[in-house]
Amino acid sequence: MKKTLMELTDIRKGYDLPNKGNVTILDDINLKIKEGEFISILGPSGSGKSTLLRIIAGLVSPSQGAVLYNGEQIVGTNPGVGMVFQSFALFPWLTVLENVKLGLENKPLREAEKMRKALAVIDMIGLDGFESAYPKELSGGMRQRVGIGRALVMEPDILLMDEPFSALDVLTAENLKRDLLELWTEKKIPTKSIIMVTHSIEEAVYMSDRAIVLSRDPARVITDIKITMPHWRDKQHPQFTSLVDRIYSILTKREVPSVDVAEVSKKKLEKIQEVPAGALTGFIELVEDLGEKVDLYKLADQLSLDLDDFLPIVEAAQLLGFATILQGDIDLTVLGHQFAEASVLERKILFKEQLTKNVPIMEKIVWVLHSKSNHKMEREFFIEILEKHFGPEEAEHQLDILIDWGRYAELISYDEKAEVLYLENEIAATME
Ligand code: ADP
Ligand code: MG
């Protein structure tokens, strides 16, 4: 039996949001992190992955539940972790050596010892010769090496990484992933466990031994999958691709919301993902061109889209009834096929129909505009409604998406200067 390094029991994290009360971000999180494990955490954007990582690091305290490190509840920052951030988080006025040494700031070591450790790590992460360079003189990949070096120099039991490769170009990222994996698999670092947040399923399956998938609103662990293939893994191997496929299908499964319009003001509104109408139509066209069912992950690969950009499009296509997802395959519905083959004008009509049918808040907006004699209404009015469901910031965001979709469908129009929504046909009438 491998030793348990960390244990999270019944973790809940909520935030007090204006007008929304306490919103639960993470719920019911139970995790055991064992020695020797490389864990990936996957989940939709905004689901709470970073929050979970921060709780493990002791940078954020949970609203409920316990975080144990070596069997003891952590108080304040977790002494056993080192953290790597997506944004590198280097100090521009410090050299590579000084940035790395910063990881040892709170350690009771003599300066000479700190120097020795920092130089050894710099060598290990492939930055030999760059000790006195400043971050601005380095490429993105080299900067992230410094970020990793600063965490490694602490010789943490657990290395936490929050989307460490997503700010890098593909080749640089591949290179760095391999180097890090080599340090890990060949035990060149004393790190006992790695936990990495990523939005790349392929990256998770390539690097880690265990993939944990979170849901959204709130984030719960919906899947915990062991990945047992030996390193180095072949991304073309059927076992590899079928695992990627499986995780894709888990991530894209969504609950079908009920759409009783009369209930809309009382019911919880479903958050719409930010997808430009143009991207959505392009996507449906592409799926049509590819013929029958398509593997989602292959599609994402073909489009070179990150999960964070890709999932919202898939979700919107489902929401509007143009596509269905079954076990990681996307398939157009009858309407979806019709849409793909339609003329620009017919598309707008179909989109309009689906929008009013499947997005209750859109129906409500149109209803309000209809019931006003001048068929206009201030943005603020709708913001107030949306705020009750989403909070102030997200309300603005949601309305912007609705306006974009409504405009594409020629259902509503919007005067940006006056911040007023109109019924589309009203505009046409006044322009005649
Ligand atoms: P992810 O890393 O999965 O994209 P995060 O953990 O960053 O998600 O955030 C999850 C949710 O928690 C988001 O909706 C975010 O707005 C919210 N959130 C994060 N930090 C705070 C905070 N300090 N106050 C209020 N809400 C927060
Ligand atoms: Mg994050």
Side-chain angles (χ1 to χ4, degrees):
M1 267 297 277
K2 289 273 183 192
K3 194 177 153 229
T4 300
L5 275 178
M6 283 200 70
E7 189 166 357
L8 277 65
T9 49
D10 289 326
I11 298 290
R12 189 189 83 86
K13 178 67 187 172
Y15 283 114
D16 284 319
L17 296 184
N19 302 328
K20 283 184 84 183
N22 193 275
V23 175
T24 301
I25 306 291
L26 297 168
D27 201 14
D28 213 9
I29 306 279
N30 288 285
L31 271 185
K32 270 190 188 151
I33 296 148
K34 299 230 161 98
E35 219 165 84
E37 275 184 329
F38 187 150
I39 300 176
S40 289
I41 299 176
L42 292 151
S45 160
S47 55
K49 304 180 293 294
S50 295
T51 306
L52 179 58
L53 214 58
R54 290 196 160 85
I55 287 176
I56 293 171
L59 297 169
V60 164
S61 52
S63 311
Q64 183 194 302
V67 184
L68 307 180
Y69 168 58
N70 281 334
E72 286 183 37
Q73 188 143 356
I74 58 165
V75 184
T77 52
N78 187 339
V81 307
M83 184 109 161
V84 178
F85 300 93
Q86 177 187 347
S87 56
F88 319 145
L90 305 181
F91 291 100
W93 59 88
L94 298 182
T95 63
V96 167
L97 178 63
E98 289 163 339
N99 266 294
V100 169
K101 239 169 52 186
L102 214 56
L104 295 172
E105 205 180 27
N106 297 320
K107 301 260 174 183
L109 295 173
R110 278 179 300 115
E111 179 57 28
E113 184 63 6
K114 288 186 182 179
M115 189 65 106
R116 192 191 62 76
K117 280 182 187 278
L119 288 172
V121 161
I122 287 171
D123 195 16
M124 191 163 68
I125 55 175
L127 285 178
D128 206 7
F130 290 91
E131 293 83 356
S132 50
Y134 286 90
K136 67 169 189 303
E137 302 169 64
L138 304 177
S139 67
M142 287 161 91
R143 280 183 218 167
Q144 189 57 309
R145 283 175 192 269
V146 181
I148 293 171
R150 190 178 49 201
L152 289 180
V153 78
M154 301 163 71
E155 301 182 343
D157 271 356
I158 305 166
L159 181 66
L160 304 178
M161 303 194 287
D162 196 348
E163 306 198 11
F165 310 113
S166 53
L168 307 175
D169 66 83
V170 182
L171 291 179
T172 306
E174 277 318 303
N175 193 4
L176 191 48
K177 280 179 217 178
R178 288 191 143 263
D179 286 358
L180 185 71
L181 208 50
E182 186 180 314
L183 292 177
W184 166 249
T185 54
E186 296 183 8
K187 301 194 168 41
K188 291 179 179 163
I189 45 176
T191 307
K192 293 177 184 154
S193 172
I194 299 180
I195 307 176
M196 172 175 77
V197 167
T198 175
H199 58 235
S200 163
I201 297 174
E202 197 188 74
E203 185 176 299
V205 176
Y206 182 65
M207 297 186 80
S208 62
D209 315 307
R210 188 176 160 197
I212 289 171
V213 182
L214 299 181
S215 58
R216 187 178 58 200
D217 301 320
R220 294 192 173 95
V221 176
I222 48 174
T223 312
D224 190 340
I225 302 179
K226 283 221 155 33
I227 305 165
T228 52
M229 284 167 279
H231 291 290
W232 300 84
R233 294 172 184 163
D234 173 7
K235 292 180 184 172
Q236 311 299 328
H237 194 283
Q239 208 182 337
F240 190 100
T241 55
S242 80
L243 201 51
V244 172
D245 207 11
R246 189 167 139 215
I247 299 176
Y248 243 110
S249 69
I250 293 163
L251 269 163
T252 48
K253 218 175 275 167
R254 60 188 287 278
E255 308 289 323
V256 178
S258 55
V259 285
D260 185 345
V261 176
E263 284 290 296
V264 70
S265 45
K266 286 177 234 150
K267 250 195 351 233
K268 188 172 183 283
L269 289 179
E270 199 189 359
K271 209 191 277 178
I272 309 176
Q273 300 291 304
E274 179 170 355
V275 176
L280 186 60
T281 55
F283 174 76
I284 295 167
E285 247 171 59
L286 183 84
V287 177
E288 168 84 4
D289 284 348
L290 292 171
E292 288 308 286
K293 280 190 225 149
V294 196
D295 262 342
L296 275 177
Y297 81 88
K298 282 187 195 145
L299 195 58
D301 204 34
Q302 233 164 2
L303 298 170
S304 317
L305 279 179
D306 268 340
L307 203 58
D308 277 358
D309 300 321
F310 183 67
L311 285 186
I313 302 180
V314 175
E315 207 168 283
Q318 286 182 91
L319 174 69
L320 294 174
F322 291 129
T324 52
I325 308 290
L326 205 63
Q327 275 149 12
D329 291 333
I330 183 164
D331 205 0
L332 292 186
T333 58
V334 174
L335 262 172
H337 286 299
Q338 216 179 325
F339 184 88
E341 285 160 13
S343 67
V344 174
L345 207 65
E346 288 165 338
R347 274 188 185 178
K348 284 180 186 268
I349 294 168
L350 277 174
F351 198 90
K352 182 166 158 178
E353 282 171 6
Q354 291 308 97
L355 197 53
T356 34
K357 210 160 97 195
N358 297 307
V359 183
I361 185 66
M362 199 66 184
E363 169 97 46
K364 175 121 180 149
I365 290 173
V366 172
W367 180 80
V368 168
L369 295 176
H370 258 298
S371 50
K372 291 260 312 222
S373 60
N374 63 0
H375 294 181
K376 297 177 184 180
M377 191 49 121
E378 288 76 33
R379 175 186 178 94
E380 202 44 43
F381 174 84
F382 297 109
I383 288 292
E384 269 177 39
I385 299 177
L386 288 167
E387 272 185 0
K388 294 202 179 74
H389 295 271
F390 301 116
E393 215 169 288
E394 189 56 33
E396 302 280 348
H397 187 215
Q398 289 290 309
L399 190 58
D400 285 337
I401 303 168
L402 288 163
I403 289 173
D404 175 62
W405 287 12
R407 277 174 152 176
Y408 170 77
E410 296 185 1
L411 192 58
I412 57 169
S413 200
Y414 182 59
D415 182 337
E416 297 193 14
K417 235 163 103 196
E419 301 205 325
V420 169
L421 282 82
Y422 302 78
L423 274 189
E424 173 69 20
N425 46 11
E426 282 318 295
I427 303 254
T430 51
M431 284 189 344
E432 269 165 17

